[in-house]
Amino acid sequence: MGYISCMNKSSITRRGFIGRLSLGAAVMAVRPFDLYAGAKRADKPLGIALVGLGKYSTGQLGPALKQTSLCRLMGVVTGSREKGEQWAKDYGFPVKNIYSYDTMQQMAGNPDIDIVYIVTPNGLHATHAIAAAKAGKHVICEKPMARTVAECDSIIAACKAAKVKLSVGYRLHFDPYHKELMRLAKEKDFGAFTTMTGDRGFIMNNKPWRADKQLAGGGPIMDLGVYIIHGACMAANGAAPLWVTASEHPKTSPEIFTDVEEGMNWTMEFPGGGICTAQTSYRHSADRFRAEGNKGWIEFKEHAFTYRGMVVETSRGPLSYTPPNQQALQMDNFADCILSKKETPVPGELGRRDLTIIEAIYEAAATGQRVKVKP
Ligand code: NAD
């Protein structure tokens, strides 16, 4: 399923080929809410409040919340009242559910809101996630979870103390191509993946918050490299690397990258001998990932970590799935976990794990040493 063809076409019977296609089509036609048809239904969908109405909320999460069935947009936290009112009109929630960053703790008394989704710059995640937990709301925190492991710990502790669930916006766990990567890693279909490579970058010509250490926590390793780190851990069947080495790219635009790296090369050494060699940068465009075992390989050739347009090949043939709405699946899954009292597959601990690796990468780049990842 999903594999277009791994054999010579003439060796596939017409019936088998069509059967395979129609089964594939049936799977691909599944709508997000059908996947949760067996889940305990709420009388009404859980209410989500988005914190930060920037590009990701506007372009992806808001529209995705029109496709979810177990949760819906019921409020916003924004610095602009006017923007909030426009969102209330567009999404049909009451204006009483518009909060500012300073008043978000008042959500505590608002039963319309069950989940608070933090979509502000990385440096504000801890403050906003902790405020949401203290208001007694379940929390989704965007990636990277925070700037440091210590901040991740404080978010996890606040959610535990408030007895609310915490998840990270790792939407690719709900993407069929990445699910196939996880399946291959688990079942060792291609053998254990021992050689991995990744490259992710885009060209940044101005200085937004993403190039500001205080707000971003670092440069492209925080924003983009985290995808390769996470993908490599998926390919390692959930294991974290034991050791890393790293070197920062020389700065070609020091006026933009004053206190963060412009690019980074790094390697991760996994238990069992698997190695991932990767780079990330704000000075070139790339979005690729490859994992190879002794019996085969999978290569995300284009748009490896984005929402759609993935081009994925394997030693068994190309993979083809109709891209679902990853964000709708992710948010419905979290709502289902809350309603069914289940563990989320993307808990805060996964976001924290990735920060332990990022901290080791920064230390390796600064010291030139091979650095042990501290779990
Ligand atoms: P953005 O700059 O477009 O939006 C950030 C929002 O935060 C804006 O509404 C801004 O007004 C608000 N904000 C509040 N306080 C701010 C401050 N002090 N400085 C700057 N902005 C402030 O950013 P974005 O692309 O929407 O990213 C937001 C978060 O979402 C980041 O953590 C990012 O890594 C994450 N993200 C995740 C994905 C994904 O695919 N999972 C994609 C894009 C972004």
Side-chain angles (χ1 to χ4, degrees):
M1 229 173 328
Y3 289 87
I4 289 178
S5 170
C6 56
M7 300 174 250
N8 180 330
K9 268 194 188 140
S10 61
S11 71
I12 304 173
T13 64
R14 186 174 158 72
R15 206 170 140 211
F17 187 60
I18 292 174
R20 192 195 288 222
L21 279 180
S22 54
L23 178 56
V27 169
M28 290 162 203
V30 165
R31 288 173 300 165
F33 49 84
D34 293 334
L35 294 178
Y36 300 103
K40 182 174 177 281
R41 292 275 161 181
D43 294 338
K44 60 182 177 60
L46 299 185
I48 291 199
L50 292 175
V51 183
L53 303 178
K55 264 176 89 177
Y56 192 53
S57 286
T58 307
Q60 306 302 328
L61 297 175
L65 281 160
K66 291 189 169 168
Q67 293 190 34
T68 46
S69 65
L70 299 184
C71 52
R72 65 176 165 181
L73 189 62
M74 280 303 284
V76 291
V77 178
T78 170
S80 159
R81 177 83 201 172
E82 202 184 335
K83 211 194 242 188
E85 283 171 5
Q86 189 58 50
W87 275 69
K89 207 188 270 173
D90 292 347
Y91 285 88
F93 59 80
V95 292
K96 75 171 175 65
N97 293 354
I98 303 169
Y99 295 89
S100 74
Y101 298 105
D102 297 329
T103 61
M104 61 183 283
Q105 70 281 1
Q106 291 169 14
M107 282 192 287
N110 188 340
D112 289 352
I113 294 162
D114 304 284
I115 300 167
V116 173
Y117 196 150
I118 315 301
V119 206
T120 44
N122 314 336
L124 303 172
H125 289 182
T127 305
H128 293 152
I130 292 167
K134 283 189 173 158
K137 307 300 176 184
H138 301 286
V139 178
I140 310 177
C141 188
E142 253 317 314
K143 48 58 57 180
M145 183 171 157
R147 290 174 293 194
T148 60
V149 175
E151 283 187 343
C152 294
D153 284 336
S154 63
I155 298 173
I156 292 169
C159 290
K160 280 209 171 110
K163 296 191 171 52
V164 294
K165 284 192 185 290
L166 167 65
S167 81
V168 182
Y170 285 138
R171 57 183 163 73
L172 290 164
H173 281 251
F174 307 94
D175 172 78
Y177 294 95
H178 286 257
K179 282 171 85 163
E180 178 61 3
L181 172 66
M182 288 189 277
R183 188 197 66 77
L184 288 168
K186 187 169 179 208
E187 295 177 11
K188 302 203 173 24
D189 232 2
F190 292 155
F193 290 123
T194 48
T195 309
M196 294 165 262
T197 52
D199 188 356
R200 191 152 206 236
F202 70 80
I203 296 172
M204 181 183 282
N205 285 322
N206 53 1
K207 189 176 169 56
W209 66 260
R210 280 183 167 78
D212 176 323
K213 187 150 196 244
Q214 189 61 22
L215 283 171
I221 195 94
M222 280 280 175
D223 191 37
L224 306 174
V226 67
Y227 286 97
I228 302 174
I229 290 167
H230 201 82
C233 292
M234 273 182 180
N237 196 23
L242 298 171
W243 295 90
V244 299
T245 56
S247 63
E248 224 184 285
H249 295 177
K251 286 185 184 171
T252 59
S253 300
E255 71 287 359
I256 298 177
F257 306 104
T258 48
D259 58 0
V260 300
E261 78 281 2
E262 180 176 303
M264 186 79 87
N265 287 350
W266 78 100
T267 59
M268 296 179 279
E269 299 171 46
F270 286 90
I275 295 208
C276 177
T277 311
Q279 73 164 331
T280 184
S281 157
Y282 282 147
R283 299 310 288 167
H284 80 272
S285 297
D287 198 3
R288 291 192 293 276
F289 181 74
R290 180 183 163 98
E292 202 170 322
N294 62 359
K295 291 191 277 177
W297 50 265
I298 180 167
E299 183 163 354
F300 292 71
K301 295 178 89 120
E302 288 174 38
H303 304 291
F305 299 107
T306 42
Y307 323 125
R308 48 196 77 86
M310 281 179 204
V311 177
V312 183
E313 291 185 10
T314 73
S315 47
R316 195 177 285 161
L319 270 179
S320 178
Y321 298 102
T322 301
N325 187 309
Q326 297 169 359
Q327 291 84 358
L329 290 177
Q330 173 210 322
M331 290 186 280
D332 260 348
N333 178 272
F334 190 53
D336 181 34
C337 289
I338 293 166
L339 293 168
S340 313
K341 300 190 174 23
K342 287 189 300 208
E343 287 302 314
T344 161
V346 283
E349 285 73 12
L350 268 194
R352 181 193 186 279
R353 177 203 65 192
D354 291 349
L355 260 299
T356 66
I357 301 164
I358 288 176
E359 285 193 352
I361 289 169
Y362 278 130
E363 187 184 334
T367 60
Q369 303 291 309
R370 177 173 175 253
V371 169
K372 195 164 176 44
V373 178
K374 295 180 199 83

